[in-house]
Amino acid sequence: MNTNNYKIIKLDKEYISSVELIWRESLPDNLKSMIGSKIIKNYLEKFLMDNSNLGTGIMDTNKLVGFVLFGQDSQIVKRLIKEDFFIILKSFIQSILFFKIKKIVNFLNCIIYILISNRKETALHSENTELLIICVSKKFQNKGFGSILIKESFKNYSTFFKKFKGIFVKTLKKDNNNVFFYKKNRFKYVFEIFGRVYLKY
């Protein structure tokens, strides 16, 4: 990787389509990816309109190759469920009709997790911001772009992070690579809830 070619940018609406493509390509098992492009685009539009959130991207020779989102999205998710209820319901019904077991399990797992984690999440968000999602295009993975994206975001947008006591992230416990990635980037283990590991910077 030629480090002279990359730069860190602040995301705005102009990048929604590029972010959505990277999101679906990198995280096909993510629930929003499974539901479809419209949900991701609606989510991003609402996320980027909120000044209490921060989205940054990494460009390699003028092409967006990765992004990270920091903030609080529970209100956005509630609005999405309300506004796009029939899209979500249709997706769930189709997964039942076509016996898409992985998708059904993912839906149920997310619902149970949200119910179980709500109290601890609220407490964490009272003083901290969350690293909600980080994605790098498959072609650019395992080249250090993810770590550069985190470190440079912290450095370039320090005024955003100074408002918080810390930054936390949650990732699936079974995904050892993700847990290792966050620990390598100075996130420390905090606790676990329903198969998710919480780490804090």
Side-chain angles (χ1 to χ4, degrees), residues 18-78:
S18 300
V19 168
E20 181 263 329
L21 286 172
I22 294 168
W23 185 324
R24 284 195 300 117
E25 177 210 45
S26 303
L27 297 172
D29 294 335
N30 174 272
L31 188 59
K32 291 181 186 76
S33 295
M34 287 180 161
I35 295 170
S37 300
K38 189 171 184 219
I39 286 288
I40 295 174
K41 285 180 176 177
N42 286 355
Y43 173 89
L44 290 167
E45 199 169 298
K46 289 173 174 55
F47 181 89
L48 294 171
M49 280 173 59
D50 188 338
N51 291 329
S52 63
N53 296 327
L54 173 68
T56 64
I58 187 164
M59 307 284 287
D60 183 64
T61 342
N62 298 319
K63 181 184 178 183
L64 188 73
V65 298
F67 70 91
V68 60
L69 304 181
F70 298 96
Q72 221 274 42
D73 71 352
S74 61
Q75 292 305 314
I76 295 170
V77 171
K78 283 176 188 172

Side-chain angles (χ1 to χ4, degrees), residues 19 33 157 167 170 185:
V19 168
S33 295
Y157 301 97
I167 302 142
K170 54 184 178 273
N185 284 286

Side-chain angles (χ1 to χ4, degrees), residues 129-144:
T129 190
E130 181 178 0
L131 191 165
L132 294 158
I133 185 168
I134 182 168
C135 289
V136 174
S137 291
K138 283 191 175 177
K139 184 182 168 186
F140 293 87
Q141 287 176 7
N142 303 311
K143 295 181 179 179

Side-chain angles (χ1 to χ4, degrees), residues 8-10 54-58 67-70 131 134 145-161 167:
I8 303 296
I9 56 147
K10 186 175 180 182
L54 173 68
T56 64
I58 187 164
F67 70 91
V68 60
L69 304 181
F70 298 96
L131 191 165
I134 182 168
F145 278 94
S147 293
I148 289 169
L149 190 48
I150 288 175
K151 286 169 189 165
E152 294 295 313
S153 294
F154 289 168
K155 188 172 85 176
N156 295 356
Y157 301 97
S158 58
T159 50
F160 172 81
F161 296 105
I167 302 142

Side-chain angles (χ1 to χ4, degrees), residues 174-189:
K174 64 182 180 182
D175 198 332
N176 291 325
N177 289 339
N178 280 359
V179 175
F180 175 76
F181 169 78
Y182 290 118
K183 284 183 175 178
K184 185 180 79 172
N185 284 286
R186 297 172 58 196
F187 283 80
K188 308 287 184 197
Y189 174 93

Side-chain angles (χ1 to χ4, degrees), residues 95-108:
S95 64
I96 293 169
L97 293 174
F98 296 106
F99 301 104
K100 293 182 179 177
I101 304 301
K102 195 174 189 180
K103 195 170 175 181
I104 296 165
V105 169
N106 204 345
F107 263 108
L108 296 175

Side-chain angles (χ1 to χ4, degrees), residues 116-127:
I116 291 171
S117 66
N118 189 46
R119 187 178 294 173
K120 279 203 170 185
E121 286 259 332
T122 304
L124 272 172
H125 275 295
S126 65
E127 297 181 319

